[in-house]
Amino acid sequence: MTRTADVAIVGGGVNGCSIAYRLAKAGKKVVLCEKGDFASGATGSCDQMVILQSKNPGIHLKLALDSAELFQTLAQELDYDIEYFKHGGMITIENEMEMNVMTDFVAKQKKIGLEVDIISREDAAKRQRGLGEHLLGCTYSPQDGHVNPFKLNMGFAQAAKKAGAELLIDAEVTDFKMAGGKVVGIKTAKGDVDAETVIISAGAWSPLLGQKLGLKLPIKPRRGQIIVSQPCAPYIVGDILSAQYIVAKYHPETLLNAKDRGIQLGVGLAISQTARGGILIGATREFVDYDVSNTREGIREILKNAARLMPGLKNLNIIRIMGGVRPYTPDGLPLVGYVKGMDGLFMAAGHEGDGIALSAITGKIVAGLICEGKAYTDVSALDPNRFELFAK
Amino acid sequence: MSACGAEDQVFVCRCEEITREEIAEAIADGATTVRGVKVRTEAGMGLCQGRGCRKIIQQMLSQAGVRPAAEVLPSTTRTPVRTAKIAEFINEEDD
Ligand SMILES: Cc1cc2nc3c(=O)[nH]c(=O)nc-3n(C[C@H](O)[C@H](O)[C@H](O)COP(=O)(O)OP(=O)(O)OC[C@H]3O[C@@H](n4cnc5c(N)ncnc54)[C@H](O)[C@@H]3O)c2cc1C
């Protein structure tokens, strides 16, 4: 059976479903094809943070702020309880180098409109029990929050269906349909879909789809391992990251010669507690292709790091460990927009460690670009053509 | 709901308190795997990590005819197979 649509979407993660929802709501005929089931990629094995403080001051932070704005009313809009909570967040600071990086980071973030400050260890301890005695302080922002990624993914999917989109699961996209150098559809395990526009929104797997079109997408899978504790009474207030994460992400050069195994594995603290009481403790940042398994070393390094920053965690019981692949890009920004030189193809992938937080705004940007020819704000920084996309 | 019998109110996942009815709804919504049921209901995400409900959900999936019983995939299970204290992990050395 061949379906026809205005837009065919490849990938049913949080971003593909957010896009399907916005496009269907704008009146487009949408067919989304997902290889497995919803939330089976990164969205199914990640942390839950809609955290603003970790975003690079610039377009990255601006988009996260705009996305957070959408999250305030998203549950009502989707008519789905996505378990979004805004309890604020902190970034732990352990040494002078981190203090310098964070002082500069915070000053720049404030200029973009984020409410954020550096607070003393004493003030941080008033907000959160169990913090390490050696901390120099923390940053704090009341605007940080978190959301249940499964529910967010399902909420977008259900709302997309209600708005008229067709969402197919167990429908792996195996190839593209071409006509006169243009992409005119996709071939899937559940039949063909002919479409004016095809969106690749397959997270870390996007480059494998790009290969079929002769494209060399600069997206790479970057594994994150995380740990889940047994459900317990409310303990973690808001969301907690460590400045290690910011330093590793935006100043990787400072870690080049690091001998510590945890640093080599890209370990940075990320802690938050779910609505059901489980505490999520992450995460590594490793390039190991598509391997989503867990390693004892990775888990141990995450826990060592967490117990140093928050000794209060030591007596928690663990019930599960997980691994997922983030869609890494060289400049930390996703690829969102039409591909020049290949009509009919649109990219919306590469959100690395921020795809949950940015999902709401991604749908809005894509719908703007496709339905009105422009997004609500200047998104040229996300233009996929900033990279050399055609394999030589 | 008044329309469903007492059997539908039975907890399948006792840790997260998910009923037979909710599992059936997830299957009706398109779930074809134990993981698909988990994503839609959170069954299997609690303390016992699906040891109690996995089999029943597999059975319900095959009864619903979404896939032959032998092909109904369990959710991924990963270590630890029992709960373990964080301190135990930190102190262990490589094998
Ligand atoms: C450990 C970890 C912690 C994280 N923590 C956070 C956090 O706290 N906050 C945050 O904002 N982000 C976080 N992230 C990042 C976030 O998970 C991702 O950025 C986001 O989930 C990406 O969503 P996506 O829809 O783009 O991709 P995915 O969720 O990966 O979805 C892609 C989908 O495409 C499908 N697919 C692949 N190939 C095909 C094909 N050929 N045909 C059809 N379908 C296909 C896959 O099955 C998959 O379902 C974390 C990630 C990890 C791994």
Side-chain angles (χ1 to χ4, degrees):
Chain A
M1 171 185 169
T2 298
R3 292 172 169 85
T4 47
D6 297 323
V7 184
I9 301 172
V10 187
V14 74
N15 282 303
C17 290
S18 169
I19 294 165
Y21 164 64
R22 295 280 171 206
L23 284 172
K25 213 174 104 178
K28 292 286 178 193
K29 185 161 187 244
V30 175
V31 178
L32 177 148
C33 298
E34 160 57 45
K35 174 172 71 178
D37 198 345
F38 304 115
S40 57
T43 309
S45 36
C46 62
D47 267 310
Q48 55 174 5
M49 297 186 180
V50 179
I51 197 157
L52 300 167
Q53 287 191 67
S54 61
K55 310 299 181 267
N56 214 0
I59 178 89
H60 198 198
L61 177 59
K62 178 180 173 0
L63 295 177
L65 278 162
D66 294 347
S67 207
E69 193 61 39
L70 296 177
F71 271 106
Q72 306 309 316
T73 52
L74 198 56
Q76 289 97 306
E77 189 184 339
L78 302 177
D79 192 20
Y80 202 94
D81 183 7
I82 56 172
E83 294 176 358
Y84 171 74
F85 297 102
K86 191 169 88 174
H87 292 321
M90 298 202 289
I91 300 183
T92 61
I93 300 171
E94 282 189 279
N95 56 46
E96 286 300 329
M97 190 262 278
E98 289 180 359
M99 186 58 98
N100 293 338
V101 169
M102 292 317 293
T103 305
D104 177 53
F105 208 63
V106 161
K108 287 181 182 151
Q109 287 180 322
K110 276 186 160 175
K111 282 202 190 117
I112 296 183
L114 180 68
E115 286 175 61
V116 60
D117 276 303
I118 294 186
I119 59 175
S120 67
R121 192 197 169 278
E122 290 71 53
D123 285 342
K126 282 180 203 147
R127 290 192 47 80
Q128 177 62 58
R129 306 175 266 161
L131 291 171
E133 297 288 340
H134 70 292
L135 295 184
L136 301 186
C138 289
T139 67
Y140 169 69
S141 169
Q143 283 172 280
D144 292 328
H146 57 242
V147 68
N148 181 325
F150 279 9
K151 296 205 166 177
L152 182 62
N153 201 150
M154 290 311 298
F156 278 130
Q158 302 292 13
K161 281 189 215 167
K162 266 193 234 159
E166 189 178 5
L167 277 60
L168 304 172
I169 58 175
D170 286 328
E172 177 170 10
V173 174
T174 51
D175 212 344
F176 295 86
K177 295 174 86 171
M178 306 292 295
K182 283 188 183 172
V183 177
V184 294
I186 49 178
K187 293 180 198 277
T188 88
K190 288 196 172 163
D192 292 5
V193 184
D194 291 342
E196 229 167 80
T197 306
V198 171
I199 303 180
I200 298 184
S201 179
W205 293 270
S206 301
L208 304 180
L209 286 146
Q211 270 171 18
K212 297 182 195 291
L213 292 163
L215 297 180
K216 208 173 87 194
L217 300 176
I219 297 171
K220 277 205 285 184
R222 187 174 223 181
R223 179 170 70 191
Q225 305 189 47
I226 14 176
I227 295 143
V228 191
S229 85
Q230 113 181 41
C232 47
Y235 177 57
I236 303 296
V237 186
D239 303 271
I240 305 173
L241 289 179
S242 65
Q244 291 161 301
Y245 174 84
I246 309 295
V247 172
K249 198 160 169 184
Y250 303 112
H251 299 276
E253 69 286 352
T254 57
L255 304 175
L256 270 183
N257 300 314
K259 296 215 172 56
D260 182 85
R261 205 45 200 133
I263 293 177
Q264 289 169 356
L265 293 171
V267 172
L269 183 74
I271 303 182
S272 66
Q273 190 162 14
T274 70
R276 286 176 185 265
I279 296 177
L280 298 169
I281 308 173
T284 58
R285 295 149 51 80
E286 313 158 80
F287 289 117
V288 286
D289 207 26
Y290 290 95
D291 178 2
V292 294
S293 59
N294 291 107
T295 61
R296 295 178 85 115
E297 186 186 35
I299 295 305
R300 189 169 60 231
E301 290 302 327
I302 292 169
L303 292 175
K304 270 207 292 215
N305 182 59
R308 186 184 74 248
L309 290 156
M310 272 198 84
L313 295 173
K314 262 190 198 153
N315 289 322
L316 280 181
N317 279 317
I318 290 170
I319 58 168
R320 186 172 176 82
I321 55 180
M322 308 188 288
V325 281
R326 310 174 184 88
Y328 156 94
T329 65
D331 60 5
L333 290 172
L335 279 66
V336 183
Y338 287 103
V339 173
K340 279 202 190 97
M342 190 160 286
D343 284 354
L345 184 68
F346 191 102
M347 287 302 310
H351 298 74
E352 195 167 354
D354 307 308
I356 303 301
L358 295 178
S359 60
I361 204 69
T362 299
K364 184 170 163 179
I365 292 170
V366 172
L369 289 173
I370 289 182
C371 303
E372 285 146 40
K374 65 175 179 21
Y376 74 99
T377 187
D378 176 17
V379 291
S380 50
L382 311 184
D383 187 344
N385 306 294
R386 69 187 186 276
F387 297 107
E388 178 62 62
L389 298 178
F390 290 87
K392 286 207 198 96
Chain B
M1 256 198 268
S2 55
C4 60
E7 195 183 305
D8 290 330
Q9 302 292 353
V10 168
F11 287 128
V12 172
C13 165
R14 288 197 286 178
C15 302
E16 300 293 323
E17 301 185 345
I18 311 295
T19 61
R20 212 178 154 83
E21 182 189 4
E22 289 170 282
I23 309 277
E25 273 169 17
I27 296 172
D29 182 56
T32 60
T33 57
V34 176
R35 188 173 194 285
V37 170
K38 168 172 125 178
V39 167
R40 288 169 181 78
T41 64
E42 306 199 334
M45 290 177 73
L47 190 56
C48 88
Q49 288 290 296
R51 274 189 283 285
C53 61
R54 197 181 297 145
K55 281 266 156 54
I56 308 172
I57 295 173
Q58 257 168 307
Q59 217 175 43
M60 286 179 71
L61 282 163
S62 66
Q63 274 166 5
V66 291
R67 273 187 203 182
E71 277 179 33
V72 176
L73 298 175
S75 215
T76 18
T77 45
R78 302 191 188 229
T79 49
V81 291
R82 63 173 179 88
T83 63
K85 266 210 174 51
I86 286 183
E88 293 176 35
F89 279 86
I90 298 174
N91 297 331
E92 79 168 1
E93 289 307 319
D94 278 314
D95 303 317

